[in-house]
Amino acid sequence: MRVSILITIAWLFLATMLPATHVSHAAEVKGEEHAVLTAAPSVPPLITRKHSTKVIVELEVRERVGTIAEGVEYTFWTFGGTVPGRFIRVREGDQVEFHLKNHPDNKVPHNIDLHAVTGPGGGATSSFTPPGHESIFSFAALNPGLYVYHCATAPVGMHIANGMYGLILVDSKKGLPKVDREYYVMQGDFYTVGSNGDTGLQTFSMEKALREDAEYVVFNGSVGALTGDHALQAEVGETVRLYVGNGGPNLVSSFHVIGEIFDEVRIEAGDAINRNVQTTLVPAGGAAIVDFKVDVPGTFILVDHSIFRAFNKGALGMLKVTGKPNTAVYSGQQDQRIYLPEGGAVQTTPEPAPKPKLAANKAERIEMGRGAYQTNCVACHQADGQGIAGAFPPLAKSDYLNADVNRAIDTVLSGLQGEITVNGEPYNNVMPSLGLSDEKIANILTYVLNSWDNDGGEVSPAQVSKRRKK
């Protein structure tokens, strides 16, 4: 009798010590609602209810051709028609009824593994869905945090590499601190048969994926998805929260915002918080939540600080902040000088010859040149050809360019250093040789000559070859 009483007391004591998140939520669930799903970079609205409910999530898989870079198309496999997949937001304690629909036009079966699920396969074992079918399963949102979801149908790596990943946020019962802006940013690495920048419809390369040799590393599914008109927005004095995920399938992200310091980082989107962080690691299949306040205006660059991925493979975004300057925080430019600590030598490295599609006429040359310009030239000379004052000369309505086409060809072929004057303004910098093929140089120059009020004309690969021989 005494032993029985002691066991009962011990069991009751242990029950009171169990984390609340692991106690059944069935009695607490009230009513039901349909989840609001959003495409990146948008985030669903804040959950304001104070009780758990049944949340119905309806997510459709679509296989669709989309743009991965300027002039480059790819057949993405998607959750909800976008890469990354739709952002899902629920509350700790919710009972989630998940509907996975595989569109009848798709070619292969899919499923979903949500890292927020406690259960075999994270839901994958219950959601294998052929084209034209729908699978339904339920789970309790036990643990608060930001979690990756992805397809786990064999070959798993191929499904993820084609864009089948996204984020699900399980808001804690007490909620995160309030911020002014929330955005959804997710990195992924892509493996195309063609080289980076090769135009046309590209297909998946299992060989490159096995070598972890990505041709593109991008935010939100494509090069430029968060730049220009698609840049994130904020105003001086606002607080910004980024829900940062990494679909992989292979590469770890070193996430950084140039010119900002993260006030708080929820490491791997869990309970641990680091403060005053410059760069945070986001593992493949993982996530982080970063908060910061913007104190001064300007364009702040989001990057994977494995830096060649940012400036050469696409892992680059922008946060444009408007408002009044605060010179006590940041003065802006006070002086300008030439700084060449590595000397004036132009350095090149050998590269395998690319095999681009050849332009059949001037119109095709201009179109291909536009894509090649975006890949190779836009960082310095800008998308509108205006350059950067005092640093990189304009190509728009450029007297230097229009005066001598052969000189322009030589500049792209061999690079340029020393002082020049463009549109009446002096520039003294180093332009490296880009190591491009005759075809790509001809395409780029033809595009530039026929853009931004320049004089027009066409540069042929034969012209470039002739200058190369000289």
Side-chain angles (χ1 to χ4, degrees), residues 296-315:
V296 296
T299 299
F300 296 82
I301 307 300
L302 287 61
V303 297
D304 178 343
H305 215 297
S306 298
I307 210 69
F308 279 102
R309 298 178 189 169
F311 293 101
N312 299 83
K313 294 190 174 186

Side-chain angles (χ1 to χ4, degrees), residues 1-11:
M1 182 73 170
R2 179 177 295 178
V3 172
S4 177
I5 291 172
L6 289 174
I7 290 173
T8 301
I9 292 171
W11 172 251

Side-chain angles (χ1 to χ4, degrees), residues 245-430:
N246 183 7
N250 289 324
L251 304 180
V252 173
S253 175
S254 301
F255 186 74
H256 175 75
V257 177
I258 299 173
E260 266 299 343
I261 298 165
F262 303 141
D263 298 324
E264 292 188 347
V265 174
R266 285 166 176 78
I267 309 163
E268 298 182 13
D271 292 336
I273 296 176
N274 273 352
R275 293 180 171 85
N276 303 321
V277 175
Q278 58 187 313
T279 301
T280 190
L281 288 174
V282 186
I289 303 174
V290 303
D291 293 2
F292 55 95
K293 181 182 178 183
V294 286
D295 297 295
V296 296
T299 299
F300 296 82
I301 307 300
L302 287 61
V303 297
D304 178 343
H305 215 297
S306 298
I307 210 69
F308 279 102
R309 298 178 189 169
F311 293 101
N312 299 83
K313 294 190 174 186
L316 184 148
M318 294 179 178
L319 170 65
K320 292 188 176 181
V321 180
T322 56
K324 293 182 179 180
N326 184 347
T327 55
V329 174
Y330 182 72
S331 70
Q333 189 177 77
Q334 295 174 313
D335 192 10
Q336 185 181 76
R337 306 176 187 184
I338 301 301
Y339 177 56
L340 294 172
E342 297 182 31
V346 176
Q347 303 176 28
T348 61
T349 56
E351 297 181 359
K355 299 178 180 179
K357 176 185 174 183
L358 302 181
N361 51 53
K362 180 180 175 181
E364 287 190 4
R365 196 171 303 287
I366 291 172
E367 183 60 26
M368 292 181 181
R370 184 162 67 97
Y373 178 87
Q374 292 288 336
T375 301
N376 297 282
C377 314
V378 74
C380 297
H381 296 290
Q382 304 299 293
D384 57 3
Q386 295 298 323
I388 298 176
F392 302 108
L395 301 180
K397 208 171 185 178
S398 169
D399 55 9
Y400 185 88
L401 171 70
N402 290 299
D404 189 341
V405 173
N406 284 333
R407 180 173 63 185
I409 295 172
D410 293 346
T411 299
V412 182
L413 271 172
S414 305
L416 182 68
Q417 58 181 310
E419 186 170 332
I420 61 172
T421 300
V422 180
N423 296 348
E425 297 293 330
Y427 293 85
N428 193 349
N429 210 323
V430 173

Side-chain angles (χ1 to χ4, degrees), residues 29 32 53-57 94-100 112 114 116-120 122-127 135-142 168:
V29 174
E32 69 177 40
T53 193
K54 176 182 175 181
V55 180
I56 301 170
V57 176
D94 283 345
Q95 190 72 25
V96 181
E97 181 181 288
F98 206 99
H99 296 242
L100 186 69
I112 190 166
L114 301 109
V117 170
T118 300
T125 58
S126 305
S127 60
S135 296
I136 304 171
F137 66 98
S138 296
F139 67 92
L142 299 178
I168 176 171

